[in-house]
Amino acid sequence: MRNEKHHKGWNEIKTNDSWAIFKIMGEFVNGFEKMSKIGPCVSIFGSARTKDDNKYYQLAVNVSKKIAEAGYGIITGGGPGIMEAGNRGAHLAGGTSVGLNIDLPFEQHDNPYIDEDKSLDFDYFFVRKVMFVKYSQGFVVMPGGFGTLDELFEAITLIQTNKIGKFPIILVGSEFWTGLFDWIKNTMLSFGNISAEDLDLIKIVDTEDEVVEIIDAFYKGHTLSPNF
């Protein structure tokens, strides 16, 4: 047993990294093949810890249902909480319901509202992120934790740096998001670390109707297409 737990040398680490490339490639190929068939979708993010009796769970159901009724599919992280609510709303509306699952030690497990042929499993966060961004026509961000913030700022950064085209980024829940937005505006902007026009990328709303209005208004002047 002691021999099995030996400290890996540099050459062994490099060899393991080389083989990991094939697993990463496999995740990209499988993701691209399945996601290319789903049609225009909107990604919904939020906490896995949100219970179904929380007001934001029901709001996420209403938001995703309204988006699906407007003709878009829904992409979530495939787990519980807000992710489940997003898939649930799409399911109720008879729309496309996609789940991009990842193996996590505590919070993640598949929710039952994902279309059977649209559930994907990932080991690598960065591959999963590509799928969220490439095949989304907009981001709807509900209250969440570090993972939610990670996805939010990833999208803003890619748009800001022109690595992808612009698409709507909508924060739902003014009581949750206003403090962060004020800090971005009053601190980051005042320090000169972002431009004033970067703030135009973000909208804060409180209702499902506002979400759909923003998405519809945006795509009256833009073409629906993969982001890169």
Side-chain angles (χ1 to χ4, degrees):
M1 290 293 289
R2 287 178 183 170
N3 291 336
E4 292 297 321
K5 294 181 179 179
H6 71 282
H7 182 71
K8 290 182 180 178
W10 182 252
N11 288 332
E12 188 177 355
I13 292 171
K14 287 198 298 181
T15 301
N16 290 342
D17 286 347
S18 296
W19 281 108
I21 290 171
F22 293 100
K23 189 172 183 181
I24 292 165
M25 287 174 59
E27 289 200 357
F28 273 120
V29 170
N30 184 52
F32 288 157
E33 285 188 346
K34 288 192 174 181
M35 297 293 285
S36 64
K37 302 171 184 175
I38 63 174
C41 286
V42 172
S43 288
I44 294 183
F45 299 103
S47 178
R49 306 183 189 193
T50 304
K51 305 300 182 187
D52 60 8
D53 59 354
N54 184 290
K55 67 177 182 179
Y56 285 108
Y57 181 100
Q58 188 56 53
L59 181 55
V61 171
N62 295 341
V63 166
S64 60
K65 185 172 181 288
K66 195 88 173 178
I67 292 171
E69 288 171 346
Y72 302 89
I74 298 295
I75 303 172
T76 80
I82 294 297
M83 294 176 281
E84 177 183 291
N87 290 124
R88 188 173 185 173
H91 180 76
L92 289 171
T96 297
S97 182
V98 182
L100 307 182
N101 306 291
I102 193 161
D103 184 26
L104 297 178
F106 303 114
E107 296 171 359
Q108 187 78 8
H109 58 77
D110 295 2
N111 72 67
Y113 302 105
I114 303 167
D115 292 347
E116 206 169 289
D117 61 336
K118 298 180 181 69
S119 180
L120 288 79
D121 295 306
F122 297 90
D123 283 326
Y124 297 97
F125 265 115
F126 64 90
V127 180
R128 183 177 180 240
K129 277 184 176 183
V130 169
M131 303 304 154
F132 275 128
V133 175
K134 179 175 176 61
Y135 296 103
S136 281
Q137 305 301 300
F139 275 17
V140 174
V141 192
M142 308 293 296
F146 290 128
T148 301
L149 293 177
D150 179 47
E151 297 291 356
L152 168 63
F153 286 113
E154 173 91 4
I156 294 171
T157 300
L158 290 171
I159 294 174
Q160 181 202 45
T161 54
N162 293 319
K163 293 299 183 183
I164 62 174
K166 287 186 178 180
F167 59 72
I169 297 176
I170 307 165
L171 310 184
V172 181
S174 57
E175 65 177 353
F176 184 87
W177 294 110
T178 298
L180 175 63
F181 190 78
D182 286 345
W183 179 81
I184 291 171
K185 182 169 58 176
N186 298 327
T187 303
M188 291 178 73
L189 183 60
S190 67
F191 271 64
N193 294 333
I194 60 173
S195 303
E197 56 266 26
D198 294 335
L199 301 177
D200 296 336
L201 299 174
I202 307 167
K203 307 294 183 186
I204 300 177
V205 304
D206 287 299
T207 69
E208 58 268 30
D209 289 334
E210 291 173 294
V211 172
V212 175
E213 284 170 10
I214 290 169
I215 294 171
D216 280 347
F218 182 86
Y219 284 108
K220 282 180 180 176
H222 295 78
T223 303
L224 292 163
S225 65
N227 291 314
F228 54 86

